[in-house]
Amino acid sequence: MADYRKMWEDLGMDVETHDVLCEVLPQAFGDVYLSQDNRPEGMDYYNMVVAEIHGIRPAELIAAQKEGKKVFGTFCVYVPDEIVFAAGAIATGLCGGSQFWVPGGEKVLPVNTCPLIKASVGARLDRTCPFFRIADMYVGETTCDGKKKAWEILSADVPVHVMELPQMKRAKDIKAWAEEITDFKSVVEDFTGNEVSAESLAAAVKLINDKRRALARLYDFRKNENVPISGRDTLLISQIAFYDDPGRFTQMTNQLCDELDQRAADGVSVCQKGSKRIMLTGTPMAIPNWKLHQIIETSGGIVVCEETCTGTRYFENLVDESRTGLKDQIDALAERYMHINCACFTPNHGRVEDILRLAEEYRADGIIDVNLKFCNLYDTEGYLVEKAVQEAGIPVLGIETDYTDSDAQQLRTRISAFIEMLNN
Ligand code: BJ8
């Protein structure tokens, strides 16, 4: 990585502790990613993004701030980035995916809080991630109890706006979400000093829809019998989608898809014949959480789909671009976002329907239902999910894990046995 020490110091980071993270990440990335055979050349861009993960994009965000732009940090796929970009600001994902940040979170949160929340709080309070330092305002949401309390703790250190997400999907809930988006628009306008107009919102909707279209195009290749890109690589691209410049991300992903078109035509496959097609469902995998994909893809499987917020929940369903006028445009945003099926909703039949549909579309041989330790929502919903999947005749394995490597061997044993069972 180029030398960004001065930038990190100026951000008030604990540079010495951060150095430890910078030392381990390249090794982990090399083991999981660079060890793969036959990767598409288009992955070079994403390799570079990871190699410079705390350098290039943070430097771009700081340069934008110097021009007067504000940066909003988000933690959930319900938060509409469109509003932020329409106000001439930048949205960036902030979810923590590394064990490195967890002990910092445990200083202020109960140990039995999910690692995603602990890592996110630790990254901010320990001052070891530039993105968490750069964001001018955090945007939280009322999805799960742990997050709700985390916003209160973080708000002592950084401005936080919390969006109240309804947890049912009746007409009045969709209306309430539209009102919440309208309030968010006012908050963003006040904070940036820029007005969101129908024109700027239309442009932002197109910008983010284009990103969704590129991700959908990428995922489609995984439906092929010969899978031209690994699950690991697709996961990495999805993770980068949360914080890269959206226009550039779309362009680079479409460029990669052009290469994959050729690979598909040539029947190129990144896995051995007979590899079992695994679909994942459950909690999100924030960067650099690559653990499960790595284990599956080195145990005779290939991950063909993720029904997660770092997978299909992030990009499926577009915002209707034909709506005009701010009121109708915001209604269109509310309708699109309320199509996401998070376990915080009750009932959440849509998620089960999505899983069964996706398993068919991606021709999954088996499903792994993954839960981040201490996520009560997905753990509890796992009962209904696994029951429905079993009734549909699809083999399913439920697992719970965290960001440590302490269970890696045990997971490998269980996942290998599951894949072996699919062979019989
Ligand atoms: S829409 S999954 S991104 S809330 S894993 S922090 S739920 S205890 S991340 Fe999520 Fe939005 Fe839902 Fe998606 Fe809480 Fe569970 Fe932790 Fe979670």
Side-chain angles (χ1 to χ4, degrees), residues 129-410:
C129 175
F131 289 97
F132 280 80
R133 303 297 307 162
I134 290 168
D136 298 293
M137 179 183 271
Y138 289 8
V139 188
E141 63 335 293
T142 53
T143 43
C144 69
D145 290 352
K147 277 180 161 183
K148 280 189 273 195
K149 293 295 121 181
W151 311 138
E152 293 174 29
I153 294 170
L154 288 169
S155 63
D157 199 45
V158 58
V160 179
H161 172 72
V162 181
M163 299 184 73
E164 182 169 359
L165 182 70
Q167 308 207 328
M168 295 178 83
K169 293 188 177 175
R170 301 158 300 183
K172 66 178 178 182
D173 298 311
I174 297 169
K175 190 164 167 272
W177 188 234
E179 283 167 15
E180 199 62 21
I181 295 175
T182 306
D183 287 352
F184 179 51
K185 177 176 94 55
S186 301
V187 169
V188 172
E189 286 176 327
D190 286 348
F191 199 68
T192 59
N194 298 330
E195 201 189 321
V196 172
S197 65
E199 291 71 33
S200 69
L201 187 52
V205 165
K206 166 98 173 53
L207 178 77
I208 305 301
N209 269 350
D210 283 347
K211 176 159 86 167
R212 295 188 182 111
R213 282 187 266 262
L215 282 165
R217 184 179 169 205
L218 172 69
Y219 264 61
D220 270 348
F221 290 104
R222 307 168 84 192
K223 297 174 181 168
N224 294 357
E225 190 180 336
N226 292 317
V227 187
I229 184 162
S230 69
R232 274 168 284 185
D233 280 336
T234 319
L235 173 66
L236 182 69
I237 296 168
S238 302
Q239 291 170 333
I240 288 172
F242 282 80
Y243 64 92
D244 199 2
D245 172 78
R248 177 178 57 209
F249 174 86
T250 300
Q251 188 197 343
M252 298 312 293
T253 302
N254 277 323
Q255 205 168 298
L256 169 72
C257 289
D258 293 342
E259 182 187 349
L260 295 181
D261 273 335
Q262 188 57 50
R263 283 189 156 218
D266 296 342
V268 173
S269 173
V270 289
C271 60
Q272 285 180 350
K273 223 178 166 34
S275 296
K276 291 293 147 189
R277 303 170 68 94
I278 304 296
M279 178 173 136
L280 292 176
T281 181
T283 44
M285 293 166 187
I287 197 164
N289 180 7
W290 307 309
K291 176 167 145 182
L292 217 53
H293 283 65
Q294 160 76 348
I295 293 174
I296 294 166
E297 296 196 334
T298 52
S299 302
I302 172 111
V303 181
V304 290
C305 182
E306 299 85 7
E307 190 280 321
T308 66
C309 288
T310 41
T312 54
R313 276 183 237 139
Y314 185 51
F315 66 81
E316 282 204 325
N317 301 306
L318 299 175
V319 178
D320 183 353
E321 294 176 18
S322 70
R323 308 282 187 91
T324 51
L326 277 173
K327 160 101 184 43
D328 273 7
Q329 288 171 299
I330 288 175
D331 284 348
L333 283 174
E335 287 157 21
R336 185 269 157 190
Y337 280 91
M338 288 292 268
H339 269 118
I340 302 169
N341 295 312
C342 177
C344 64
F345 280 81
T346 184
N348 196 27
H349 304 306
R351 179 162 169 239
V352 170
E353 287 160 18
D354 282 348
I355 292 168
L356 298 179
R357 168 180 59 82
L358 292 165
E360 195 176 332
E361 284 178 15
Y362 289 83
R363 299 188 281 167
D365 295 312
I367 294 180
I368 297 182
D369 178 22
V370 55
N371 192 55
L372 270 177
K373 208 167 176 180
F374 304 123
C375 176
N376 197 36
L377 281 173
Y378 279 83
D379 196 11
T380 309
E381 192 162 278
Y383 168 75
L384 296 169
V385 165
E386 290 173 31
K387 187 166 166 283
V389 168
Q390 273 162 357
E391 281 170 6
I394 306 167
V396 59
L397 172 70
I399 60 167
E400 184 166 76
T401 186
D402 58 17
Y403 290 169
T404 69
D405 276 330
S406 58
D407 61 351
Q409 203 43 51
Q410 192 202 9

Side-chain angles (χ1 to χ4, degrees), residues 89-147:
I90 300 172
T92 184
L94 285 185
C95 290
S98 168
Q99 177 62 23
F100 182 81
W101 293 307
V102 167
E106 288 178 346
K107 287 180 204 160
V108 294
L109 293 164
V111 172
N112 60 356
T113 303
C114 103
L116 191 148
I117 299 175
K118 288 191 287 195
S120 301
V121 171
R124 170 72 198 189
L125 299 186
D126 277 356
R127 298 178 290 115
T128 45
C129 175
F131 289 97
F132 280 80
R133 303 297 307 162
I134 290 168
D136 298 293
M137 179 183 271
Y138 289 8
V139 188
E141 63 335 293
T142 53
T143 43
C144 69
D145 290 352
K147 277 180 161 183

